[in-house]
Amino acid sequence: MPWQPQHASPTHSSSSASRPPGSSGLFCAFAYAVMPGLHRTDDRTLVAAMQKINVAIVNPVFLLLFFGGLVVAAAAAWLSRGQSIGPWAIAAAALYLAGMIVTLAANIPLNDRLAAASGVDADSARAAFETAWVRWNTLRAVLHTAGFVVLATGLVAGRA
């Protein structure tokens, strides 16, 4: 008999529920602490701080949390197909993917434009960056958090 993938048990799916909170926690921290704190600073400080953060964040831990979360969510969706948690896992993976799309389509281009703004006055750089970046970051934080909540809800509902 050829090898058949095993369907996920609640234990497999519960391990996947621990992945998305890493990125959602980071994005939420930016939404409720980092950006409000930087908002209280002058233009030059906000621009310089975000330029440095955007360089520092591209590291193995962030990349593992960011891309690994989607891999794990997609694997949970695939492995749980045909089970009661399957639709929950699919919805969680879709929400996580939507959050990644926001990051790739909105936040990273804004970061790139801010990085290139070294010759522009800080006031103009901030005006072109801050409001849009905060709005998109809040959306991705909501999407990633919703993905985690949906998956966790599916786990609880599947055990009831």
Side-chain angles (χ1 to χ4, degrees), residues 17-147:
S18 66
R19 298 326 187 269
S23 55
S24 66
L26 174 67
F27 300 146
C28 286
F30 267 87
Y32 68 73
V34 175
M35 295 311 290
L38 288 175
H39 183 72
R40 293 175 174 90
T41 66
D42 61 69
D43 298 336
R44 202 178 65 168
T45 300
L46 181 137
V47 169
M50 285 305 297
Q51 286 172 332
K52 290 184 184 336
I53 288 169
N54 291 335
V55 169
I57 196 115
V58 181
N59 65 67
V61 173
F62 173 76
L63 294 174
L64 177 65
L65 288 171
F66 185 68
F67 290 107
L70 179 61
V71 170
V72 170
W78 176 258
L79 292 171
S80 62
R81 66 194 187 283
Q83 296 184 23
S84 62
I85 193 170
W88 297 93
I90 291 167
L95 287 163
Y96 196 87
L97 177 61
M100 286 186 71
I101 290 169
V102 168
T103 299
L104 297 170
N107 291 95
I108 290 175
L110 286 165
N111 292 345
D112 291 345
R113 283 195 291 274
L114 187 67
S118 57
V120 177
D121 67 284
D123 179 52
S124 298
R126 181 180 191 159
F129 174 81
E130 184 180 18
T131 301
W133 194 93
V134 167
R135 180 179 48 243
W136 290 113
N137 179 69
T138 301
L139 177 59
R140 69 182 174 171
V142 167
L143 289 166
H144 283 246
T145 302

Side-chain angles (χ1 to χ4, degrees), residues 13 17 85 88 92 146-158:
S13 296
I85 193 170
W88 297 93
F148 167 70
V149 170
V150 165
L151 188 56
T153 301
L155 287 168
V156 171

